[in-house]
Amino acid sequence: MSWYRNTVWFVKGLREYTRGGYESASKHFNPADVEVDVSGRSFLVTGANSGIGKATAKEIARRGGMVHLVCRNKERAEVAQEEIVTETGNPNIFLHIVDISNPKEVWKFAEKFRNEHKLNVLINNAGCMVNNRELTEDGLEKNFATNTLGTYILTTALLPLLGKEADARVRQQVVLTERWAKAHRNIHFSVMHPGWADTPAVRSSMPDFYEKMKNSLRTEAQGADTVVWLAVSAEATKLPSGLFFQDRQPVATHLPLASTHSPLEDEEKLMAVLEEFSQNFRSSSPGT
């Protein structure tokens, strides 16, 4: 019976994450939520040269926001920057070349950014899905270095800057978001699932899945919709900090019967390990 229930939940969840799921959910969206002017507010989007990150940056730029694009590949990032400026007419799009998988580089960037800019919203979008084990030059597993440690360092380093602004916001992984939300009450944290969208990352990292599902995948803009809603709408901050969202609605972080809950001591160990790693790389980074 548990196998049957889990299969039903998997199929139901997969359907909700497709384009059809978005189209169904969007019937209940209030367009006014994102029809806002965010001129004067500063947004930092990692992994912003393609996919959901670029779509997010573009939508924020359309609304007048100052957008900082944090990207690894300079050539692709410059193309994205030019496209966003041209399509939105917003010249306040700034580019920073940073490899989020390199902790020393992330520290160096964050500390420089903190001294030179203001920040209202941090959108941790950069991530990777490396199927075979790869190590970075620091000997870190690449998925961990990019998706977890790099994000932890960037957010930790920028929290003092965010804390200076009214209505500051951050989004990222579930456990980190929940822990940060409890520790920093003056900043609104959220995490979201974009659904399965037709992005370069999905095509390259999940080719078999892409071939089977390509006619049902969400567009990049549909995948970015909830990110934009969390970043700009007043409605998002009426909900508690630390929640997990799908299609503008808070949802459970675990599927029924999935046994994916982590004990409190494991979460505390994760945070302690991340802090130890981050400080080790901080002390060895140039200029610190």
Side-chain angles (χ1 to χ4, degrees):
M1 181 62 74
S2 63
W3 173 86
Y4 172 76
R5 287 178 179 171
N6 280 333
T7 301
V8 168
W9 274 103
F10 174 78
V11 173
K12 179 176 180 288
L14 185 61
R15 186 168 61 245
E16 288 179 350
Y17 289 158
T18 63
R19 186 190 310 144
Y22 174 84
E23 291 170 348
S24 176
S26 65
K27 294 176 182 176
H28 306 287
F29 292 173
N30 181 0
D33 285 357
V34 292
E35 291 174 357
V36 295
D37 184 344
V38 292
S39 300
R41 286 175 66 77
S42 174
F43 300 76
L44 189 155
V45 185
T46 65
N49 65 277
S50 67
I52 290 171
K54 184 172 76 172
T56 298
K58 193 176 292 184
E59 290 305 315
I60 291 170
R62 292 189 204 281
R63 292 160 175 78
M66 177 185 297
V67 185
H68 294 273
L69 312 177
V70 175
C71 308
R72 181 174 58 86
N73 184 288
K74 185 174 186 291
E75 184 177 341
R76 291 201 296 265
E78 288 175 343
V79 172
Q81 179 188 30
E82 183 178 356
E83 179 184 325
I84 293 169
V85 171
T86 301
E87 290 192 18
T88 67
N90 184 342
N92 296 313
I93 312 300
F94 304 98
L95 183 58
H96 310 272
I97 305 303
V98 184
D99 184 351
I100 298 295
S101 73
N102 184 323
K104 293 186 287 291
E105 197 173 311
V106 176
W107 268 120
K108 184 177 180 181
F109 160 72
E111 291 175 343
K112 184 174 186 292
F113 187 92
R114 194 169 63 193
N115 291 328
E116 297 178 355
H117 304 280
K118 76 166 194 171
L119 183 63
N120 297 95
V121 181
L122 170 61
I123 300 174
N124 288 308
N125 166 79
C128 66
M129 294 185 287
V130 178
N131 296 320
N132 297 316
R133 181 176 173 81
E134 290 184 24
L135 298 181
T136 68
E137 62 182 36
D138 296 301
L140 300 169
E141 194 278 322
K142 194 167 186 178
N143 289 298
F144 167 76
T146 306
N147 302 341
T148 308
L149 182 59
T151 295
Y152 177 87
I153 292 172
L154 182 63
T155 305
T156 300
L158 294 180
L159 282 173
L161 187 61
L162 287 158
K164 295 177 181 178
E165 304 296 331
D167 190 18
R169 312 184 191 189
V170 181
R171 64 155 293 266
Q172 198 13 259
Q173 296 182 12
V174 174
V175 172
L176 296 183
T177 295
E178 291 174 341
R179 302 287 298 197
W180 279 326
K182 292 176 182 177
H184 304 278
R185 302 288 185 179
N186 61 328
I187 300 173
H188 198 269
F189 292 84
S190 305
V191 63
M192 57 80 68
H193 195 301
W196 292 111
D198 188 352
T199 65
V202 169
R203 294 180 206 173
S204 62
S205 301
M206 308 171 69
D208 293 340
F209 174 83
Y210 173 75
E211 283 301 316
K212 292 176 183 176
M213 298 293 295
K214 61 184 178 182
N215 294 325
S216 301
L217 296 178
R218 299 180 178 201
T219 66
E220 293 174 346
Q222 290 172 341
D225 177 81
T226 297
V227 187
V228 176
W229 182 80
L230 288 169
V232 307
S233 76
E235 292 302 307
T237 53
K238 292 179 181 178
L239 294 163
S241 181
L243 297 182
F244 176 48
F245 289 83
Q246 178 186 335
D247 292 329
R248 303 192 189 184
Q249 291 294 321
V251 295
T253 54
H254 303 274
L255 292 175
L257 308 176
S259 301
T260 54
H261 292 268
S262 53
L264 180 60
E265 55 267 29
D266 286 355
E267 292 184 8
E268 291 175 347
K269 183 177 181 180
L270 169 66
M271 300 302 285
V273 168
L274 288 174
E275 180 62 16
E276 181 181 355
F277 265 127
S278 70
Q279 292 303 322
N280 287 340
F281 285 110
R282 182 182 190 181
S283 62
S284 62
S285 62
T288 63

